[in-house]
Amino acid sequence: MTAATTTLSAPRRRAAAARRGGALLGLLAWGCGVLFFLPFAWMVLTSLHSESAAATNPPSVGAGLTLQGYREFFGAGTGVSPWPPLINSLTASVASTLLVLLLSIPAAYALSIRPVRKWTDVMFFFLSTKMLPAVAGLLPIYLIAQNAGMLDDIWLLVILYTAMNLPIAVWMMRSFLAEVPRELLEAASIDGAGLLTTLARIVAPVAMPGIAATALISFIFSWNELLFARVLTGVVAGTAPVFLTGFVTSQGLFLAKVCAAAVCISVPVLVAGFAAQDKLVQGLSLGAVK
Amino acid sequence: MIVVTQLPFVGTLVISFMRWNALEPDDRGFGGLANYKAAFEDPALRSSIKTTVLLTAAVVLVSLLLGLVLALLLDRRFRGRGIVRTMLITPFLVVPAASALLWKHAIYNASYGLLNGTLTWLWSLFGSTRAPQPDWLSTTPLLAVEASLIWQWTPFMMLILLAGLQSRPMDVVEAARVDGASTWQVFRYLTFPHLRRYLELAALLGSIYVVQNFDAVFTLTSGGLGTANLPYTVYQTFYQGHDYGQASAEGVLVVICTILLATFALRTVSSLFREESL
């Protein structure tokens, strides 16, 4: 009788221990999450403080909140408006993303649905272009832009960002398009649909989440890019990250304003990224993670 | 495609053999290997190669390890998992220039940054007013840059590894458990082999991006105190020194370093491909 009780309770005891361990690991995960989130939270909190409350030691967590930093970022009193750089960033990111989609969908379609010979070689070529460090092409691009009179022109960045993101986009799109069922395509071609009709009516709807992920990543990379934007633009076409680096030298009492600027410029990417977390993973690993 | 992505590099290659300084427009011509010789003899460049290697290795390895731990933690079911995942992704989504500014001013700053502020607060708990107040960016510049980059790249590693974990065939794990395998055995003989290619993929993609890092170095230290990596050095030679020939030679060196990395990367990706087409 007693022997039976112990054999029964041993697994139960183990299960209880596992539950406790699980709860502990859950707490640990929470701790890590909070730790990683802390710098960002600190940035948001600082941006909502007055300049004098932001720059204190020890930190003043409980100080009253104000939108002063944001008002100053948007040019109140200082005369420097962030709108032109924000609009430049938006133009460069959206236009290059649209171009990337326009070019990568047919290319990926050709590589995935109607395999050309040696398609893996073509894919490797696409990827290899991404591995060439950006700095290695910086100078010739600068000189070409100078000769073409395109320095400080936002459309130069549109072209460059399109070229930069295209290889990744083709890679991602290929793996997404490969999931479109062949039967659908065959049915379409029997019904006499041309390439464009097939793309628009059949491929696009099925591959929509993949297209969205590709667009998102292209948008994020363009929005975040700093090196080319810094070298190739100036007063007129400067993008938001370039504008942000203008704060590098600002010291002392501008902390709240700097944080407000950093928050504002990060918001589009944060919103897009939070909304599409799962797709982001698939995209970032070049669609190889399935 | 080819024109925009490859031609500039050919241009760089050509210019790297020329005497060409924008400040001396009359003296332009074929310089042979002079730029490469100058580049190799330049102690600043040699130190920036070392910095690039140290920075990339440290950031990729540490963030990969942290990413693995976090991915394993998040693979379990617990209350609020979605919230924790969202919090963990945040650093990767903050615009790099903004996150560099955040670390420089709001965290590392010696007189009002969060780090020293916390030290002051901790010390004051014990009634001391003499908390250590190090100037992080000048005492440990490279470590400071690395910490901010690790913060930024750990979520990326975690995301890829988490996707790897969740694509693991669970029936095999269940079977192993029934057979009495311990948690460590399941990890060592089932999870880890499955994760290996995801680990490689994450490391390689991470390296490609971290090698090229410009934002953090530019913003945090402006390349000072031994933190100038190769991209920053090229930028400086070209943008501030206006020595086009020299900058191009340095650019070519960056490419050679990256090609070594990329060959390795392509081999890994090609093994992924083979599995996919099976």
Side-chain angles (χ1 to χ4, degrees):
Chain A
M1 193 65 196
T2 34
T5 335
T6 37
T7 44
L8 260 180
S9 64
R12 236 183 263 161
R13 233 182 300 142
R14 223 179 299 149
R19 254 200 315 278
R20 266 200 309 277
L24 215 64
L25 287 174
L27 267 180
L28 188 62
W30 265 96
C32 292
V34 169
L35 195 67
F36 267 81
F37 191 68
L38 189 71
F40 176 76
W42 184 247
M43 176 164 90
V44 175
L45 185 68
T46 307
S47 75
L48 290 168
H49 275 162
S50 68
E51 294 295 355
S52 56
T56 54
N57 184 351
S60 49
V61 179
L65 302 182
T66 166
L67 285 173
Q68 189 56 31
Y70 289 87
R71 269 198 293 276
E72 274 179 26
F73 169 65
F74 283 107
T78 54
V80 189
S81 167
W83 288 114
L86 281 173
I87 289 167
N88 282 334
S89 269
L90 204 64
T91 313
S93 309
V94 171
S96 69
T97 300
L98 288 178
L99 276 172
V100 160
L101 289 184
L102 207 66
L103 295 171
S104 68
I105 294 177
Y109 179 75
L111 283 167
S112 69
I113 288 164
R114 304 174 168 175
V116 284
R117 279 199 303 157
K118 299 208 166 185
W119 66 278
T120 46
D121 293 349
V122 180
M123 294 309 292
F124 282 144
F125 170 73
F126 276 114
L127 191 66
S128 69
T129 60
K130 198 62 213 166
M131 295 185 178
L132 191 71
V135 276
L138 187 60
L139 178 63
I141 289 173
Y142 178 82
L143 295 174
I144 292 167
Q146 198 175 36
N147 286 329
M150 282 187 84
L151 279 184
D152 205 7
D153 184 337
I154 196 65
W155 294 102
L156 175 69
L157 287 187
V158 171
I159 296 170
L160 287 176
Y161 290 169
T162 306
M164 270 192 222
N165 291 326
L166 202 51
I168 296 269
V170 172
W171 261 76
M172 288 172 59
M173 289 302 266
R174 194 202 67 84
S175 62
F176 288 128
L177 289 185
E179 288 184 351
V180 178
R182 294 287 166 101
E183 296 78 20
L184 273 180
L185 299 170
E186 277 157 22
S189 79
I190 289 167
D191 291 348
L195 176 62
L196 278 179
T197 324
T198 315
L199 274 178
R201 292 277 179 83
I202 301 189
V203 178
V206 176
M208 210 50 203
I211 295 175
T214 314
L216 177 69
I217 281 171
S218 164
F219 178 84
I220 291 180
F221 282 155
S222 310
W223 184 273
N224 286 355
E225 207 281 330
L226 174 66
L227 180 63
F228 277 106
R230 196 176 152 74
V231 172
L232 299 171
T233 67
V235 197
V236 186
T239 59
V242 178
F243 181 72
L244 204 54
T245 55
F247 289 106
V248 169
T249 47
S250 70
Q251 288 287 339
L253 288 174
F254 294 112
L255 192 60
K257 185 181 162 189
V258 170
C259 286
V263 171
C264 287
I265 286 167
S266 299
V267 156
V269 174
L270 282 168
V271 170
F274 285 153
Q277 293 178 17
D278 298 318
K279 289 290 147 200
L280 202 64
V281 186
Q282 240 176 318
L284 284 172
S285 46
L286 302 175
V289 175
K290 286 267 172 72
Chain B
M1 260 295 295
I2 302 173
V3 173
V4 191
T5 55
Q6 308 289 2
L7 211 58
F9 178 61
V10 178
T12 306
L13 208 57
V14 172
I15 299 170
S16 73
F17 291 109
M18 286 171 70
R19 275 197 320 278
W20 188 355
N21 188 320
L23 299 178
E24 297 157 27
D26 302 327
D27 180 33
R28 196 202 287 189
F30 184 72
L33 288 169
N35 287 322
Y36 287 93
K37 196 161 165 284
F40 275 117
E41 281 168 1
D42 182 6
L45 186 83
R46 253 180 295 174
S47 107
S48 80
I49 291 178
K50 208 178 103 200
T51 305
T52 309
V53 173
L54 276 177
L55 189 72
T56 311
V59 170
V60 171
L61 287 179
V62 175
S63 56
L64 194 62
L65 202 67
L66 281 177
L68 177 63
V69 171
L70 291 173
L72 286 170
L73 280 176
L74 280 200
D75 191 40
R76 312 170 52 90
R77 242 170 245 293
F78 62 91
R79 209 179 278 263
R81 184 165 71 162
I83 303 171
V84 172
R85 191 170 85 150
T86 306
M87 289 201 296
L88 281 171
I89 293 172
T90 310
F92 186 68
L93 294 174
V94 174
V95 174
S99 91
L101 269 180
L102 159 75
W103 283 85
K104 184 186 170 89
H105 291 301
I107 308 233
Y108 289 142
N109 188 292
S111 48
Y112 51 77
L114 184 59
L115 273 179
N116 284 355
T118 309
L119 286 178
T120 307
W121 177 73
L122 278 176
W123 254 250
S124 72
L125 286 183
F126 298 102
S128 165
T129 49
R130 291 177 40 216
Q133 300 282 291
D135 186 355
W136 302 91
L137 280 172
S138 54
T139 49
T140 50
L142 194 59
L143 214 62
V145 174
E146 283 167 356
S148 78
L149 283 174
I150 288 167
W151 178 72
Q152 202 185 330
W153 283 97
T154 301
F156 173 82
M157 306 294 187
M158 182 204 72
L159 282 174
I160 290 182
L161 295 177
L162 192 59
L165 281 177
Q166 292 180 344
S167 73
R168 181 172 48 145
M170 276 326 275
D171 44 344
V172 183
V173 177
E174 297 286 326
R177 284 226 177 269
V178 170
D179 289 347
S182 71
T183 310
W184 168 249
Q185 281 169 328
V186 169
F187 177 76
R188 173 68 188 79
Y189 296 105
L190 290 174
T191 310
F192 190 72
H194 172 78
L195 267 191
R196 227 192 84 180
R197 50 199 199 106
Y198 294 91
L199 282 165
E200 285 174 351
L201 186 75
L204 293 166
L205 288 174
S207 321
I208 289 170
Y209 287 108
V210 177
V211 158
Q212 300 191 37
N213 179 273
F214 172 75
D215 308 40
V217 173
F218 174 77
T219 309
L220 280 170
T221 58
S222 305
L225 306 161
T227 58
N229 62 352
L230 278 168
Y232 187 82
T233 309
V234 178
Y235 165 83
Q236 224 176 6
T237 314
F238 152 65
Y239 204 66
Q240 285 161 12
H242 298 280
D243 193 333
Y244 291 177
Q246 179 78 39
S248 297
E250 289 170 5
V252 173
L253 291 179
V254 180
V255 171
I256 292 171
C257 292
T258 319
I259 283 174
L260 293 177
L261 194 73
T263 325
F264 192 58
L266 283 177
R267 208 175 307 146
T268 309
V269 177
S270 115
S271 76
L272 280 176
F273 251 141
R274 240 173 292 141
E275 270 176 58
E276 191 191 332
S277 51
L278 276 178

